[in-house]
PDB file of all heavy atoms in Angstrom:
ATOM      1  N   LYS K  15     282.239  -9.888  76.029  1.00  0.00           N
ATOM      2  CA  LYS K  15     281.263  -9.034  76.715  1.00  0.00           C
ATOM      3  C   LYS K  15     279.925  -9.065  75.975  1.00  0.00           C
ATOM      4  O   LYS K  15     278.858  -9.129  76.593  1.00  0.00           O
ATOM      5  CB  LYS K  15     281.772  -7.599  76.812  1.00  0.00           C
ATOM      6  CG  LYS K  15     280.825  -6.649  77.542  1.00  0.00           C
ATOM      7  CD  LYS K  15     281.415  -5.263  77.642  1.00  0.00           C
ATOM      8  CE  LYS K  15     280.507  -4.332  78.448  1.00  0.00           C
ATOM      9  NZ  LYS K  15     279.202  -4.114  77.812  1.00  0.00           N
ATOM     10  N   TYR K  16     279.980  -9.030  74.647  1.00  0.00           N
ATOM     11  CA  TYR K  16     278.754  -9.074  73.847  1.00  0.00           C
ATOM     12  C   TYR K  16     277.988 -10.370  74.085  1.00  0.00           C
ATOM     13  O   TYR K  16     276.757 -10.367  74.264  1.00  0.00           O
ATOM     14  CB  TYR K  16     279.098  -8.936  72.360  1.00  0.00           C
ATOM     15  CG  TYR K  16     277.947  -9.250  71.438  1.00  0.00           C
ATOM     16  CD1 TYR K  16     276.907  -8.329  71.254  1.00  0.00           C
ATOM     17  CD2 TYR K  16     277.877 -10.478  70.777  1.00  0.00           C
ATOM     18  CE1 TYR K  16     275.838  -8.633  70.420  1.00  0.00           C
ATOM     19  CE2 TYR K  16     276.811 -10.780  69.944  1.00  0.00           C
ATOM     20  CZ  TYR K  16     275.790  -9.857  69.775  1.00  0.00           C
ATOM     21  OH  TYR K  16     274.725 -10.157  68.957  1.00  0.00           O
ATOM     22  N   LEU K  17     278.705 -11.491  74.120  1.00  0.00           N
ATOM     23  CA  LEU K  17     278.051 -12.786  74.356  1.00  0.00           C
ATOM     24  C   LEU K  17     277.401 -12.825  75.734  1.00  0.00           C
ATOM     25  O   LEU K  17     276.297 -13.360  75.894  1.00  0.00           O
ATOM     26  CB  LEU K  17     279.075 -13.913  74.220  1.00  0.00           C
ATOM     27  CG  LEU K  17     279.633 -14.151  72.816  1.00  0.00           C
ATOM     28  CD1 LEU K  17     280.682 -15.256  72.840  1.00  0.00           C
ATOM     29  CD2 LEU K  17     278.510 -14.505  71.832  1.00  0.00           C
ATOM     30  N   PHE K  18     278.098 -12.255  76.730  1.00  0.00           N
ATOM     31  CA  PHE K  18     277.512 -12.201  78.073  1.00  0.00           C
ATOM     32  C   PHE K  18     276.246 -11.347  78.075  1.00  0.00           C
ATOM     33  O   PHE K  18     275.247 -11.715  78.706  1.00  0.00           O
ATOM     34  CB  PHE K  18     278.528 -11.629  79.064  1.00  0.00           C
ATOM     35  CG  PHE K  18     277.973 -11.467  80.454  1.00  0.00           C
ATOM     36  CD1 PHE K  18     277.870 -12.551  81.313  1.00  0.00           C
ATOM     37  CD2 PHE K  18     277.518 -10.226  80.897  1.00  0.00           C
ATOM     38  CE1 PHE K  18     277.340 -12.407  82.583  1.00  0.00           C
ATOM     39  CE2 PHE K  18     276.991 -10.071  82.162  1.00  0.00           C
ATOM     40  CZ  PHE K  18     276.893 -11.167  83.009  1.00  0.00           C
ATOM     41  N   GLU K  19     276.288 -10.205  77.385  1.00  0.00           N
ATOM     42  CA  GLU K  19     275.104  -9.341  77.305  1.00  0.00           C
ATOM     43  C   GLU K  19     273.916 -10.101  76.718  1.00  0.00           C
ATOM     44  O   GLU K  19     272.785  -9.983  77.212  1.00  0.00           O
ATOM     45  CB  GLU K  19     275.406  -8.113  76.444  1.00  0.00           C
ATOM     46  CG  GLU K  19     276.340  -7.098  77.082  1.00  0.00           C
ATOM     47  CD  GLU K  19     276.582  -5.920  76.159  1.00  0.00           C
ATOM     48  OE1 GLU K  19     276.021  -5.923  75.031  1.00  0.00           O
ATOM     49  OE2 GLU K  19     277.323  -4.999  76.551  1.00  0.00           O
ATOM     50  N   GLU K  20     274.164 -10.858  75.643  1.00  0.00           N
ATOM     51  CA  GLU K  20     273.084 -11.591  74.991  1.00  0.00           C
ATOM     52  C   GLU K  20     272.493 -12.650  75.923  1.00  0.00           C
ATOM     53  O   GLU K  20     271.274 -12.845  75.961  1.00  0.00           O
ATOM     54  CB  GLU K  20     273.601 -12.242  73.700  1.00  0.00           C
ATOM     55  CG  GLU K  20     273.985 -11.234  72.626  1.00  0.00           C
ATOM     56  CD  GLU K  20     272.835 -10.305  72.280  1.00  0.00           C
ATOM     57  OE1 GLU K  20     271.783 -10.807  71.840  1.00  0.00           O
ATOM     58  OE2 GLU K  20     272.982  -9.071  72.474  1.00  0.00           O
ATOM     59  N   GLU K  21     273.348 -13.327  76.674  1.00  0.00           N
ATOM     60  CA  GLU K  21     272.855 -14.330  77.625  1.00  0.00           C
ATOM     61  C   GLU K  21     272.068 -13.668  78.751  1.00  0.00           C
ATOM     62  O   GLU K  21     271.059 -14.198  79.222  1.00  0.00           O
ATOM     63  CB  GLU K  21     274.024 -15.135  78.202  1.00  0.00           C
ATOM     64  CG  GLU K  21     274.686 -16.068  77.201  1.00  0.00           C
ATOM     65  CD  GLU K  21     273.720 -17.091  76.637  1.00  0.00           C
ATOM     66  OE1 GLU K  21     272.917 -17.657  77.425  1.00  0.00           O
ATOM     67  OE2 GLU K  21     273.752 -17.334  75.411  1.00  0.00           O
ATOM     68  N   LEU K  22     272.534 -12.511  79.188  1.00  0.00           N
ATOM     69  CA  LEU K  22     271.843 -11.776  80.249  1.00  0.00           C
ATOM     70  C   LEU K  22     270.451 -11.354  79.790  1.00  0.00           C
ATOM     71  O   LEU K  22     269.472 -11.473  80.543  1.00  0.00           O
ATOM     72  CB  LEU K  22     272.663 -10.547  80.649  1.00  0.00           C
ATOM     73  CG  LEU K  22     272.067  -9.631  81.727  1.00  0.00           C
ATOM     74  CD1 LEU K  22     271.865 -10.388  83.026  1.00  0.00           C
ATOM     75  CD2 LEU K  22     272.970  -8.415  81.949  1.00  0.00           C
ATOM     76  N   LYS K  23     270.354 -10.881  78.550  1.00  0.00           N
ATOM     77  CA  LYS K  23     269.065 -10.450  78.024  1.00  0.00           C
ATOM     78  C   LYS K  23     268.079 -11.613  77.945  1.00  0.00           C
ATOM     79  O   LYS K  23     266.871 -11.445  78.156  1.00  0.00           O
ATOM     80  CB  LYS K  23     269.245  -9.831  76.629  1.00  0.00           C
ATOM     81  CG  LYS K  23     269.984  -8.505  76.619  1.00  0.00           C
ATOM     82  CD  LYS K  23     270.205  -8.038  75.184  1.00  0.00           C
ATOM     83  CE  LYS K  23     271.016  -6.763  75.123  1.00  0.00           C
ATOM     84  NZ  LYS K  23     271.293  -6.341  73.734  1.00  0.00           N
ATOM     85  N   LYS K  24     268.584 -12.815  77.646  1.00  0.00           N
ATOM     86  CA  LYS K  24     267.713 -13.985  77.501  1.00  0.00           C
ATOM     87  C   LYS K  24     267.387 -14.653  78.839  1.00  0.00           C
ATOM     88  O   LYS K  24     266.522 -15.514  78.907  1.00  0.00           O
ATOM     89  CB  LYS K  24     268.382 -15.017  76.574  1.00  0.00           C
ATOM     90  CG  LYS K  24     268.507 -14.561  75.133  1.00  0.00           C
ATOM     91  CD  LYS K  24     269.050 -15.645  74.231  1.00  0.00           C
ATOM     92  CE  LYS K  24     270.474 -16.014  74.554  1.00  0.00           C
ATOM     93  NZ  LYS K  24     271.026 -17.020  73.588  1.00  0.00           N
ATOM     94  N   SER K  25     268.094 -14.231  79.892  1.00  0.00           N
ATOM     95  CA  SER K  25     267.969 -14.921  81.179  1.00  0.00           C
ATOM     96  C   SER K  25     266.672 -14.627  81.916  1.00  0.00           C
ATOM     97  O   SER K  25     266.260 -15.385  82.803  1.00  0.00           O
ATOM     98  CB  SER K  25     269.135 -14.519  82.086  1.00  0.00           C
ATOM     99  OG  SER K  25     269.001 -13.148  82.485  1.00  0.00           O
ATOM    100  N   GLY K  26     266.016 -13.532  81.578  1.00  0.00           N
ATOM    101  CA  GLY K  26     264.824 -13.140  82.313  1.00  0.00           C
ATOM    102  C   GLY K  26     265.122 -12.220  83.478  1.00  0.00           C
ATOM    103  O   GLY K  26     264.203 -11.691  84.115  1.00  0.00           O
ATOM    104  N   LEU K  27     266.406 -12.028  83.771  1.00  0.00           N
ATOM    105  CA  LEU K  27     266.806 -11.105  84.828  1.00  0.00           C
ATOM    106  C   LEU K  27     266.677  -9.662  84.349  1.00  0.00           C
ATOM    107  O   LEU K  27     266.814  -9.375  83.153  1.00  0.00           O
ATOM    108  CB  LEU K  27     268.257 -11.359  85.252  1.00  0.00           C
ATOM    109  CG  LEU K  27     268.570 -12.720  85.883  1.00  0.00           C
ATOM    110  CD1 LEU K  27     270.080 -12.875  86.034  1.00  0.00           C
ATOM    111  CD2 LEU K  27     267.874 -12.865  87.229  1.00  0.00           C
ATOM    112  N   THR K  28     266.388  -8.769  85.275  1.00  0.00           N
ATOM    113  CA  THR K  28     266.369  -7.348  84.942  1.00  0.00           C
ATOM    114  C   THR K  28     267.802  -6.874  84.737  1.00  0.00           C
ATOM    115  O   THR K  28     268.697  -7.203  85.508  1.00  0.00           O
ATOM    116  CB  THR K  28     265.719  -6.535  86.072  1.00  0.00           C
ATOM    117  OG1 THR K  28     264.365  -6.985  86.241  1.00  0.00           O
ATOM    118  CG2 THR K  28     265.703  -5.047  85.730  1.00  0.00           C
ATOM    119  N   TYR K  29     268.029  -6.094  83.702  1.00  0.00           N
ATOM    120  CA  TYR K  29     269.391  -5.655  83.404  1.00  0.00           C
ATOM    121  C   TYR K  29     269.433  -4.178  82.994  1.00  0.00           C
ATOM    122  O   TYR K  29     268.433  -3.595  82.552  1.00  0.00           O
ATOM    123  CB  TYR K  29     269.996  -6.501  82.274  1.00  0.00           C
ATOM    124  CG  TYR K  29     269.277  -6.363  80.951  1.00  0.00           C
ATOM    125  CD1 TYR K  29     269.580  -5.318  80.063  1.00  0.00           C
ATOM    126  CD2 TYR K  29     268.288  -7.271  80.571  1.00  0.00           C
ATOM    127  CE1 TYR K  29     268.919  -5.187  78.850  1.00  0.00           C
ATOM    128  CE2 TYR K  29     267.615  -7.145  79.368  1.00  0.00           C
ATOM    129  CZ  TYR K  29     267.940  -6.098  78.495  1.00  0.00           C
ATOM    130  OH  TYR K  29     267.280  -5.969  77.312  1.00  0.00           O
ATOM    131  N   CYS K  30     270.599  -3.595  83.175  1.00  0.00           N
ATOM    132  CA  CYS K  30     270.898  -2.262  82.642  1.00  0.00           C
ATOM    133  C   CYS K  30     272.365  -2.316  82.212  1.00  0.00           C
ATOM    134  O   CYS K  30     273.261  -2.435  83.051  1.00  0.00           O
ATOM    135  CB  CYS K  30     270.687  -1.171  83.689  1.00  0.00           C
ATOM    136  SG  CYS K  30     271.005   0.495  83.050  1.00  0.00           S
ATOM    137  N   ILE K  31     272.600  -2.265  80.920  1.00  0.00           N
ATOM    138  CA  ILE K  31     273.938  -2.445  80.363  1.00  0.00           C
ATOM    139  C   ILE K  31     274.519  -1.088  79.955  1.00  0.00           C
ATOM    140  O   ILE K  31     273.882  -0.315  79.243  1.00  0.00           O
ATOM    141  CB  ILE K  31     273.896  -3.382  79.140  1.00  0.00           C
ATOM    142  CG1 ILE K  31     273.400  -4.769  79.565  1.00  0.00           C
ATOM    143  CG2 ILE K  31     275.266  -3.464  78.480  1.00  0.00           C
ATOM    144  CD1 ILE K  31     273.127  -5.699  78.397  1.00  0.00           C
ATOM    145  N   HIS K  32     275.724  -0.835  80.420  1.00  0.00           N
ATOM    146  CA  HIS K  32     276.438   0.395  80.056  1.00  0.00           C
ATOM    147  C   HIS K  32     277.624   0.044  79.170  1.00  0.00           C
ATOM    148  O   HIS K  32     278.441  -0.810  79.528  1.00  0.00           O
ATOM    149  CB  HIS K  32     276.926   1.128  81.304  1.00  0.00           C
ATOM    150  CG  HIS K  32     275.823   1.569  82.212  1.00  0.00           C
ATOM    151  ND1 HIS K  32     275.160   2.765  82.042  1.00  0.00           N
ATOM    152  CD2 HIS K  32     275.249   0.970  83.288  1.00  0.00           C
ATOM    153  CE1 HIS K  32     274.236   2.900  82.976  1.00  0.00           C
ATOM    154  NE2 HIS K  32     274.270   1.814  83.742  1.00  0.00           N
ATOM    155  N   ARG K  33     277.716   0.695  78.031  1.00  0.00           N
ATOM    156  CA  ARG K  33     278.833   0.477  77.106  1.00  0.00           C
ATOM    157  C   ARG K  33     279.604   1.787  76.921  1.00  0.00           C
ATOM    158  O   ARG K  33     279.315   2.569  76.018  1.00  0.00           O
ATOM    159  CB  ARG K  33     278.314   0.003  75.751  1.00  0.00           C
ATOM    160  CG  ARG K  33     277.566  -1.324  75.770  1.00  0.00           C
ATOM    161  CD  ARG K  33     276.928  -1.557  74.411  1.00  0.00           C
ATOM    162  NE  ARG K  33     276.243  -2.840  74.322  1.00  0.00           N
ATOM    163  CZ  ARG K  33     275.392  -3.143  73.334  1.00  0.00           C
ATOM    164  NH1 ARG K  33     275.135  -2.250  72.386  1.00  0.00           N
ATOM    165  NH2 ARG K  33     274.822  -4.333  73.306  1.00  0.00           N
ATOM    166  N   PRO K  34     280.601   2.046  77.749  1.00  0.00           N
ATOM    167  CA  PRO K  34     281.388   3.282  77.572  1.00  0.00           C
ATOM    168  C   PRO K  34     282.286   3.171  76.347  1.00  0.00           C
ATOM    169  O   PRO K  34     282.830   2.104  76.044  1.00  0.00           O
ATOM    170  CB  PRO K  34     282.216   3.344  78.862  1.00  0.00           C
ATOM    171  CG  PRO K  34     282.365   1.918  79.276  1.00  0.00           C
ATOM    172  CD  PRO K  34     281.065   1.246  78.899  1.00  0.00           C
ATOM    173  N   THR K  35     282.432   4.259  75.649  1.00  0.00           N
ATOM    174  CA  THR K  35     283.282   4.265  74.455  1.00  0.00           C
ATOM    175  C   THR K  35     284.753   4.176  74.819  1.00  0.00           C
ATOM    176  O   THR K  35     285.576   3.692  74.035  1.00  0.00           O
ATOM    177  CB  THR K  35     283.060   5.552  73.654  1.00  0.00           C
ATOM    178  OG1 THR K  35     283.315   6.683  74.511  1.00  0.00           O
ATOM    179  CG2 THR K  35     281.629   5.642  73.161  1.00  0.00           C
ATOM    180  N   GLY K  36     285.101   4.656  75.993  1.00  0.00           N
ATOM    181  CA  GLY K  36     286.491   4.730  76.447  1.00  0.00           C
ATOM    182  C   GLY K  36     286.602   5.895  77.404  1.00  0.00           C
ATOM    183  O   GLY K  36     285.669   6.692  77.547  1.00  0.00           O
ATOM    184  N   TYR K  37     287.736   5.983  78.076  1.00  0.00           N
ATOM    185  CA  TYR K  37     287.927   7.024  79.091  1.00  0.00           C
ATOM    186  C   TYR K  37     289.082   7.957  78.709  1.00  0.00           C
ATOM    187  O   TYR K  37     289.960   7.594  77.920  1.00  0.00           O
ATOM    188  CB  TYR K  37     288.215   6.388  80.451  1.00  0.00           C
ATOM    189  CG  TYR K  37     287.204   5.350  80.859  1.00  0.00           C
ATOM    190  CD1 TYR K  37     287.580   4.036  81.083  1.00  0.00           C
ATOM    191  CD2 TYR K  37     285.851   5.682  80.992  1.00  0.00           C
ATOM    192  CE1 TYR K  37     286.651   3.071  81.447  1.00  0.00           C
ATOM    193  CE2 TYR K  37     284.918   4.724  81.363  1.00  0.00           C
ATOM    194  CZ  TYR K  37     285.322   3.422  81.584  1.00  0.00           C
ATOM    195  OH  TYR K  37     284.385   2.473  81.937  1.00  0.00           O
ATOM    196  N   PHE K  38     289.065   9.134  79.299  1.00  0.00           N
ATOM    197  CA  PHE K  38     290.134  10.091  79.032  1.00  0.00           C
ATOM    198  C   PHE K  38     291.508   9.457  79.249  1.00  0.00           C
ATOM    199  O   PHE K  38     292.423   9.615  78.450  1.00  0.00           O
ATOM    200  CB  PHE K  38     289.999  11.317  79.936  1.00  0.00           C
ATOM    201  CG  PHE K  38     288.814  12.190  79.638  1.00  0.00           C
ATOM    202  CD1 PHE K  38     288.409  13.155  80.544  1.00  0.00           C
ATOM    203  CD2 PHE K  38     288.097  12.056  78.467  1.00  0.00           C
ATOM    204  CE1 PHE K  38     287.310  13.967  80.288  1.00  0.00           C
ATOM    205  CE2 PHE K  38     286.997  12.859  78.192  1.00  0.00           C
ATOM    206  CZ  PHE K  38     286.607  13.826  79.108  1.00  0.00           C
ATOM    207  N   TYR K  39     291.636   8.726  80.384  1.00  0.00           N
ATOM    208  CA  TYR K  39     292.956   8.181  80.707  1.00  0.00           C
ATOM    209  C   TYR K  39     293.357   7.072  79.730  1.00  0.00           C
ATOM    210  O   TYR K  39     294.540   6.752  79.596  1.00  0.00           O
ATOM    211  CB  TYR K  39     293.011   7.694  82.152  1.00  0.00           C
ATOM    212  CG  TYR K  39     292.218   6.451  82.460  1.00  0.00           C
ATOM    213  CD1 TYR K  39     292.689   5.185  82.106  1.00  0.00           C
ATOM    214  CD2 TYR K  39     291.013   6.527  83.144  1.00  0.00           C
ATOM    215  CE1 TYR K  39     291.966   4.037  82.395  1.00  0.00           C
ATOM    216  CE2 TYR K  39     290.292   5.381  83.453  1.00  0.00           C
ATOM    217  CZ  TYR K  39     290.767   4.144  83.071  1.00  0.00           C
ATOM    218  OH  TYR K  39     290.051   3.006  83.371  1.00  0.00           O
ATOM    219  N   ASP K  40     292.359   6.453  79.038  1.00  0.00           N
ATOM    220  CA  ASP K  40     292.693   5.452  78.024  1.00  0.00           C
ATOM    221  C   ASP K  40     293.561   6.056  76.929  1.00  0.00           C
ATOM    222  O   ASP K  40     294.535   5.442  76.468  1.00  0.00           O
ATOM    223  CB  ASP K  40     291.422   4.899  77.377  1.00  0.00           C
ATOM    224  CG  ASP K  40     290.668   3.935  78.286  1.00  0.00           C
ATOM    225  OD1 ASP K  40     291.317   3.359  79.174  1.00  0.00           O
ATOM    226  OD2 ASP K  40     289.462   3.757  78.092  1.00  0.00           O
ATOM    227  N   ILE K  41     293.191   7.259  76.492  1.00  0.00           N
ATOM    228  CA  ILE K  41     293.931   7.913  75.421  1.00  0.00           C
ATOM    229  C   ILE K  41     295.356   8.198  75.860  1.00  0.00           C
ATOM    230  O   ILE K  41     296.314   7.947  75.116  1.00  0.00           O
ATOM    231  CB  ILE K  41     293.230   9.232  75.011  1.00  0.00           C
ATOM    232  CG1 ILE K  41     291.799   8.936  74.536  1.00  0.00           C
ATOM    233  CG2 ILE K  41     294.017   9.939  73.920  1.00  0.00           C
ATOM    234  CD1 ILE K  41     291.709   7.974  73.375  1.00  0.00           C
ATOM    235  N   VAL K  42     295.509   8.692  77.080  1.00  0.00           N
ATOM    236  CA  VAL K  42     296.846   8.979  77.600  1.00  0.00           C
ATOM    237  C   VAL K  42     297.659   7.695  77.712  1.00  0.00           C
ATOM    238  O   VAL K  42     298.837   7.644  77.333  1.00  0.00           O
ATOM    239  CB  VAL K  42     296.762   9.678  78.973  1.00  0.00           C
ATOM    240  CG1 VAL K  42     298.154   9.872  79.560  1.00  0.00           C
ATOM    241  CG2 VAL K  42     296.058  11.023  78.843  1.00  0.00           C
ATOM    242  N   LYS K  43     297.026   6.640  78.224  1.00  0.00           N
ATOM    243  CA  LYS K  43     297.725   5.372  78.421  1.00  0.00           C
ATOM    244  C   LYS K  43     298.205   4.792  77.096  1.00  0.00           C
ATOM    245  O   LYS K  43     299.312   4.234  77.010  1.00  0.00           O
ATOM    246  CB  LYS K  43     296.799   4.378  79.129  1.00  0.00           C
ATOM    247  CG  LYS K  43     297.467   3.050  79.462  1.00  0.00           C
ATOM    248  CD  LYS K  43     296.527   2.144  80.221  1.00  0.00           C
ATOM    249  CE  LYS K  43     297.200   0.817  80.578  1.00  0.00           C
ATOM    250  NZ  LYS K  43     296.284  -0.081  81.330  1.00  0.00           N
ATOM    251  N   VAL K  44     297.383   4.906  76.054  1.00  0.00           N
ATOM    252  CA  VAL K  44     297.741   4.351  74.753  1.00  0.00           C
ATOM    253  C   VAL K  44     298.799   5.202  74.047  1.00  0.00           C
ATOM    254  O   VAL K  44     299.782   4.683  73.509  1.00  0.00           O
ATOM    255  CB  VAL K  44     296.489   4.220  73.851  1.00  0.00           C
ATOM    256  CG1 VAL K  44     296.891   3.869  72.423  1.00  0.00           C
ATOM    257  CG2 VAL K  44     295.553   3.156  74.401  1.00  0.00           C
ATOM    258  N   PHE K  45     298.598   6.523  74.067  1.00  0.00           N
ATOM    259  CA  PHE K  45     299.468   7.400  73.290  1.00  0.00           C
ATOM    260  C   PHE K  45     300.762   7.800  73.996  1.00  0.00           C
ATOM    261  O   PHE K  45     301.760   8.087  73.331  1.00  0.00           O
ATOM    262  CB  PHE K  45     298.717   8.673  72.876  1.00  0.00           C
ATOM    263  CG  PHE K  45     297.746   8.462  71.752  1.00  0.00           C
ATOM    264  CD1 PHE K  45     296.524   9.118  71.745  1.00  0.00           C
ATOM    265  CD2 PHE K  45     298.046   7.626  70.706  1.00  0.00           C
ATOM    266  CE1 PHE K  45     295.624   8.931  70.704  1.00  0.00           C
ATOM    267  CE2 PHE K  45     297.159   7.425  69.660  1.00  0.00           C
ATOM    268  CZ  PHE K  45     295.942   8.076  69.658  1.00  0.00           C
ATOM    269  N   ARG K  46     300.762   7.846  75.325  1.00  0.00           N
ATOM    270  CA  ARG K  46     301.922   8.380  76.038  1.00  0.00           C
ATOM    271  C   ARG K  46     303.239   7.684  75.687  1.00  0.00           C
ATOM    272  O   ARG K  46     304.235   8.375  75.387  1.00  0.00           O
ATOM    273  CB  ARG K  46     301.694   8.346  77.547  1.00  0.00           C
ATOM    274  CG  ARG K  46     302.877   8.936  78.333  1.00  0.00           C
ATOM    275  CD  ARG K  46     302.533   9.115  79.791  1.00  0.00           C
ATOM    276  NE  ARG K  46     302.221   7.853  80.434  1.00  0.00           N
ATOM    277  CZ  ARG K  46     301.818   7.749  81.701  1.00  0.00           C
ATOM    278  NH1 ARG K  46     301.662   8.840  82.428  1.00  0.00           N
ATOM    279  NH2 ARG K  46     301.563   6.575  82.223  1.00  0.00           N
ATOM    280  N   PRO K  47     303.302   6.335  75.700  1.00  0.00           N
ATOM    281  CA  PRO K  47     304.587   5.704  75.355  1.00  0.00           C
ATOM    282  C   PRO K  47     305.061   6.061  73.951  1.00  0.00           C
ATOM    283  O   PRO K  47     306.267   6.234  73.719  1.00  0.00           O
ATOM    284  CB  PRO K  47     304.286   4.201  75.479  1.00  0.00           C
ATOM    285  CG  PRO K  47     303.093   4.125  76.368  1.00  0.00           C
ATOM    286  CD  PRO K  47     302.284   5.342  76.058  1.00  0.00           C
ATOM    287  N   MET K  48     304.119   6.184  73.009  1.00  0.00           N
ATOM    288  CA  MET K  48     304.485   6.525  71.635  1.00  0.00           C
ATOM    289  C   MET K  48     304.912   7.987  71.531  1.00  0.00           C
ATOM    290  O   MET K  48     305.850   8.320  70.789  1.00  0.00           O
ATOM    291  CB  MET K  48     303.316   6.216  70.694  1.00  0.00           C
ATOM    292  CG  MET K  48     303.000   4.736  70.583  1.00  0.00           C
ATOM    293  SD  MET K  48     301.757   4.354  69.316  1.00  0.00           S
ATOM    294  CE  MET K  48     300.241   4.854  70.162  1.00  0.00           C
ATOM    295  N   ILE K  49     304.211   8.862  72.271  1.00  0.00           N
ATOM    296  CA  ILE K  49     304.579  10.277  72.270  1.00  0.00           C
ATOM    297  C   ILE K  49     305.996  10.448  72.810  1.00  0.00           C
ATOM    298  O   ILE K  49     306.799  11.229  72.284  1.00  0.00           O
ATOM    299  CB  ILE K  49     303.595  11.107  73.122  1.00  0.00           C
ATOM    300  CG1 ILE K  49     302.185  11.062  72.523  1.00  0.00           C
ATOM    301  CG2 ILE K  49     304.076  12.548  73.261  1.00  0.00           C
ATOM    302  CD1 ILE K  49     302.037  11.738  71.201  1.00  0.00           C
ATOM    303  N   GLU K  50     306.318   9.697  73.873  1.00  0.00           N
ATOM    304  CA  GLU K  50     307.656   9.785  74.465  1.00  0.00           C
ATOM    305  C   GLU K  50     308.726   9.365  73.465  1.00  0.00           C
ATOM    306  O   GLU K  50     309.848   9.894  73.483  1.00  0.00           O
ATOM    307  CB  GLU K  50     307.723   8.917  75.725  1.00  0.00           C
ATOM    308  CG  GLU K  50     306.891   9.470  76.880  1.00  0.00           C
ATOM    309  CD  GLU K  50     306.858   8.541  78.080  1.00  0.00           C
ATOM    310  OE1 GLU K  50     307.350   7.387  77.940  1.00  0.00           O
ATOM    311  OE2 GLU K  50     306.362   8.949  79.138  1.00  0.00           O
TER     312      GLU K  50
END
């Protein structure tokens, strides 16, 4: 994803990049099997 972002920035195209840290359901998905 980082490499794609760098190519996009150099392309001359207008861009707006969003980098979410993670989602609420990510935590549940990762921890739930271990909690069980």
